[in-house]
Amino acid sequence: MKQISVVVIGAGARGNVYGDYALMHPEEMKVIGVAEPNRQRREKYMRLHSIPAENCFESWEQLLAKPRMADAAVISTLDRLHYAPCIAAIEKGYNILLEKPISHDPAECLSIQTLAQEKGIQLEICHVLRYAPFFSAIKSLVESGKIGKIQAYEQTEHVGYWHYAHSYVRGNWRRSEDTAPMILAKCCHDIDLIAWIIGAKCTKVSSVGSLDYFTAENAPADAPDRCLNGCPHSESCPYYAPKIYLTENTDWPTNTISVDLSMQAREKALKEGPYGRCVYHCDNDVVDKQMVQMEFENHAIATLSMLAFTPEVTRTVRIVGTKGVIEGDLRNTWLDLKLFGDQETHRIEIDMEDTNGYGHAGGDGVMLHDFALLNQNSGEGRTNIKESMASHFICFAAEESRKSGKLIDMEQFMKAYE
């Protein structure tokens, strides 16, 4: 396999996931340039990948002002900073791996798709769970016809109480106007999986949800603005920041609060940065629970439930067909298949051999391997822009329904953007 060269725009958490893959698989991929406004992150990335100083930039504008220097660009900036660098990278002729969501704006999504098609660019979206062996196995099992025609699909995203607090109360995705609504920022993975596995066009969408708990009204008496400001509830509060960030674990999410992971630097980050704030005294506005109902052209119905208040971080699935049922939990390496008229539950083992512990249940590594191959061949990957656009618009419709309280007809909704 020929090695491809990439430039990385955004060297934060996801940018490091993609960079780490290149370090582990130099035969497939090499990072030769980076754009990152944070000096410490940028210099660390430069050292890790032995990137020449002339290929390290503070901004994507500086990098993309240069002649094309690599086969592909990985764009892993924050959600609202996807559009402009993506358009510029397409114009420069880079094949692109774009972090999800494509954009918070439907019109921007369509603009990116149109330009990529005009320029003949391979543009893949990081819907990494399509590549996770767990969901690949579900897709294959459905396509085998063993459970017959899908009648109902139920998926629940168990976000995890601490994960939700980290990312959606204190963290980067806490405000819709700064990034994207929860259904797009987090659950576009789930909506994409449902649409992919059902394999039909979505026709109707409705949704309900709200932010109920992480508000000032629910703050315990005498809770300060910051955990380290003498909080009297430090022992009883599960969200007390030192319990999460000042431990021996310096992997995610701790490694997102400071480049320097010494105890002193982490304490400083909690005293000064967003991750040390009381979860009841933040400026968050995204929902902490949401349900989406969908109907598809083949008459299958589906529900997605997003729950912040779970002890575990996982996704659970139940698919009901005319001949049987598939049930699974992403934490496991098997699926349960129950066929009507058969008293036995069949356990379907999932092959995890090539995942090597990669994130998103192995999906990260499989997706990056596929992207490296795509850059040497014509064709489209499993998460190409056209595929992702369909599920993105379901997310946009779901948020419209949540706000308006109305059932959304997808054909009419799409026409508004034609």
Side-chain angles (χ1 to χ4, degrees), residues 333-363:
T333 58
W334 66 82
L335 299 168
D336 284 335
L337 174 63
K338 302 175 183 179
L339 301 176
F340 302 151
D342 185 344
Q343 299 302 312
E344 183 180 355
T345 295
H346 300 273
R347 180 144 290 181
I348 311 298
E349 297 293 337
I350 299 169
D351 183 6
M352 303 291 291
E353 184 177 351
D354 296 327
T355 58
N356 295 317
Y358 293 117
H360 288 96

Side-chain angles (χ1 to χ4, degrees), residues 16 40-41 44 166 244-270 275:
N16 275 287
Q40 287 181 302
R41 287 179 182 169
K44 181 180 178 181
H166 170 78
I244 300 171
Y245 304 111
L246 301 184
T247 71
E248 292 183 2
N249 176 30
T250 55
D251 292 332
W252 190 87
T254 301
N255 60 13
T256 63
I257 73 169
S258 173
V259 176
D260 180 353
L261 294 176
S262 67
M263 189 63 72
Q264 182 180 8
R266 284 184 277 156
E267 286 179 358
K268 185 175 186 292
L270 295 189
Y275 296 99

Side-chain angles (χ1 to χ4, degrees), residues 125-228:
I125 311 303
C126 294
H127 282 306
V128 293
L129 287 173
R130 282 199 186 196
Y131 289 96
F134 177 86
F135 286 105
S136 296
I138 290 176
K139 177 71 169 173
S140 296
L141 199 53
V142 166
E143 290 182 338
S144 75
K146 288 186 177 180
I147 64 165
K149 181 183 176 184
I150 293 180
Q151 298 297 294
Y153 187 128
E154 304 166 14
Q155 185 156 312
T156 300
E157 177 161 10
H158 309 251
V159 179
Y161 71 95
W162 59 268
H163 180 190
Y164 183 88
H166 170 78
S167 296
Y168 305 99
V169 179
R170 292 168 166 143
N172 291 330
W173 293 272
R174 64 187 182 272
R175 292 180 58 79
S176 294
E177 66 181 43
D178 295 334
T179 52
M182 188 73 170
I183 190 64
L184 188 64
K186 184 77 171 83
C187 302
C188 67
H189 279 311
D190 303 273
I191 297 294
D192 183 71
L193 289 165
I194 291 169
W196 177 55
I197 291 168
I198 289 178
K201 184 186 296 184
C202 183
T203 56
K204 295 176 184 176
V205 175
S206 64
S207 182
V208 293
S210 63
L211 171 63
D212 177 62
Y213 185 65
F214 293 101
T215 63
E217 291 79 10
N218 292 311
D222 303 320
D225 288 347
R226 289 186 171 273
C227 293
L228 289 179

